[in-house]
Amino acid sequence: TLSGPFNPGPAGLYLYPPPLAVLLAAVSGVATATVDAGWWIVRVGLLMVGCAVLPVPRWVRGGVLLVLAVSYPTLIDLNLGNVSLLVLVTSCLAWRWLDRPVSGVATALMLALRPTLIVVPIWWLIRRQWQRLVWTIGAGLLLIVLTLPFVGLGGYVDYLTVVRNLSNVTGVAHNVDLASAALLVGMGPGIVQP
């Protein structure tokens, strides 16, 4: 993945930023079955926490939890072990305490999981929400500094190289985007990838 363009389809590729690798390395010596069960329990808990902190009426929170608990994307996420529920809880925390430092810290953590959500701080920049930006940038820099002893500067350089080399993200048989779904129902590659 560092040598040139690659397709993210094969299983087993680590495509997340270095801070998550540091977190995952902490459990690398634990038995796989224990880690799998623990990871599943943690993510179910995070689903409940994310819904509980939503800044909406209680009945809406309950409805969101109910819908998420039986929705295909949530069930797939729980099955695959993705980080989507971590992103959900960090985005809910950022929304709940939007005018407090917690929002910036939660947004920095969210970006450490899914850098494509940079659109949130960009929106804050457009709207001149300087305090939120400062907390997000500060928390992000602190996260980088805290992980440097474990991954080094090379870990971040390698991650940027992997992102640069990533290609053909949509239209992959085992992905869940619209182009991949089109492949699944029998549409040809020429239709899903112009």
Side-chain angles (χ1 to χ4, degrees):
T1 58
L2 293 174
S3 61
F6 69 96
N7 185 316
L13 292 178
Y14 180 84
L15 300 175
Y16 297 104
L20 183 62
V22 172
L23 179 66
L24 295 175
V27 296
S28 63
V30 181
T32 304
T34 304
V35 171
D36 287 348
W39 184 235
W40 189 87
I41 291 167
V42 164
R43 287 178 301 122
V44 168
L46 289 173
L47 174 64
M48 291 188 280
V49 168
C51 291
V53 301
L54 284 172
V56 295
R58 186 175 298 164
W59 69 270
V60 174
R61 285 183 249 156
V64 169
L65 178 60
L66 181 63
V67 168
L68 286 176
V70 298
S71 71
Y72 180 72
T74 303
L75 297 174
I76 288 295
D77 184 78
L78 287 171
N79 184 40
L80 295 177
N82 291 338
V83 297
S84 298
L85 294 173
L86 293 170
V87 174
L88 169 79
V89 78
T90 55
S91 61
C92 290
L93 290 169
W95 184 24
R96 173 69 179 215
W97 289 286
L98 198 53
D99 294 325
R100 296 188 184 155
V102 171
S103 181
V105 173
T107 302
L109 292 171
M110 181 176 63
L111 291 171
L113 297 167
R114 290 271 164 81
T116 54
L117 291 171
I118 191 73
V119 296
V120 173
I122 289 172
W123 178 244
W124 292 346
L125 178 65
I126 291 169
R127 297 192 60 215
R128 297 184 173 137
Q129 303 288 321
W130 307 121
Q131 187 177 18
R132 294 176 193 161
L133 279 171
V134 167
W135 277 106
T136 301
I137 292 168
L141 290 173
L142 180 61
L143 188 59
I144 290 170
V145 167
L146 290 173
T147 57
L148 275 176
F150 302 99
V151 298
L153 190 56
Y156 283 94
V157 171
D158 286 350
Y159 176 71
L160 293 174
T161 303
V162 166
V163 170
R164 185 188 70 227
N165 290 341
L166 192 59
S167 62
N168 296 327
V169 176
T170 62
V172 179
H174 299 290
N175 210 342
V176 189
D177 63 278
L178 291 176
S180 300
L183 278 179
L184 188 64
V185 296
M187 293 184 179
I191 293 173
V192 299
Q193 291 181 352

